[in-house]
Amino acid sequence: MNLHSLPLFVRLAGRPVILLGEGEPAEAKRRLLERAGAVVVGEDAAAALAIVAIEDEAAALAAIGRLKARGVLVNAVDRPDHCDFTLPAIVERGAVIVAIGTGGVSAGLAAALRQRLEMLLPATLGALAQGLHAGRAALRARFPDGAARRRAIGAALAAGGALDPLSEAPDVARWLADPAAGVSRHHVFCLASRDPDALTLAQARVLAAADCVYHRADVPAAILDRARADAQRVACDTAPADPGAGITVDLTMAPGA
């Protein structure tokens, strides 16, 4: 199956982009362009990209025709058949940018998917990307062989790995100091509700990655079921003095929950 469009990330800082139109659709595009550092200009300026957000059909089509005749690539708001490029919904975590596009077919669907991803992707992703960038020289020194380096990075970034992107604050420097060391994290959660859907996103992430779950007898089975099927479950009256290696969680219920 052929790609409808080729996704590209374009650096616009300091570059001119033509924007035509008035009202909220045009202003929304203006905010997005300015956020990317673009210089918003009028139709007569020299530019490689243009966004046409003109409501009147005839005026919009005329502007699109003039711009395309000049070789300018055009995004025509609400007119996907006339678009040379589309603007995706984005989730930004520093250097990490996730783009969701539908080829202009359904901006609502793209927005809904963006909202889901906003909830799933932690704020620490940007710091993780920067840490990996800063550690490139140390990583090459520790793993001179390219294949071994790729395997090490792959294992560290895998679910439950030392640098699991969905975990809390993965530490690149600590991992580089001892890549072979197992991941050891202990989390203590006092739950305010017996409803598993009331778990916070962070709690759900940790439970899904845990190797062992310590819990009081009144923690509902429905919450324990949010842990991996192969995770060890240990019912105990008090928190463990030594939770052991790996990712461990201690669950208690708040009074009255």
Side-chain angles (χ1 to χ4, degrees), residues 110-174:
L113 292 173
R114 179 191 63 77
Q115 290 168 3
R116 298 286 184 90
L117 290 174
E118 285 281 7
M119 294 187 293
L120 288 173
L121 300 180
T124 52
L125 273 180
L128 173 59
Q130 292 296 336
L132 288 168
H133 178 73
R136 288 181 302 168
L139 185 61
R140 288 194 184 96
R142 184 169 285 278
F143 299 100
D145 179 71
R149 188 163 59 246
R150 288 190 294 272
R151 286 194 298 270
I153 282 287
L157 292 172
L163 302 179
D164 182 347
L166 299 187
S167 66
E168 295 181 346
D171 191 330
V172 176
R174 183 172 62 183

Side-chain angles (χ1 to χ4, degrees), residues 187-193 198-200 203 216 219 223 249-257:
H187 303 265
V188 177
F189 296 142
C190 182
L191 306 177
S193 171
L199 291 168
T200 67
Q203 291 169 340
R216 306 298 90 80
V219 174
I223 289 178
V249 183
D250 184 69
L251 298 178
T252 61
M253 298 304 301

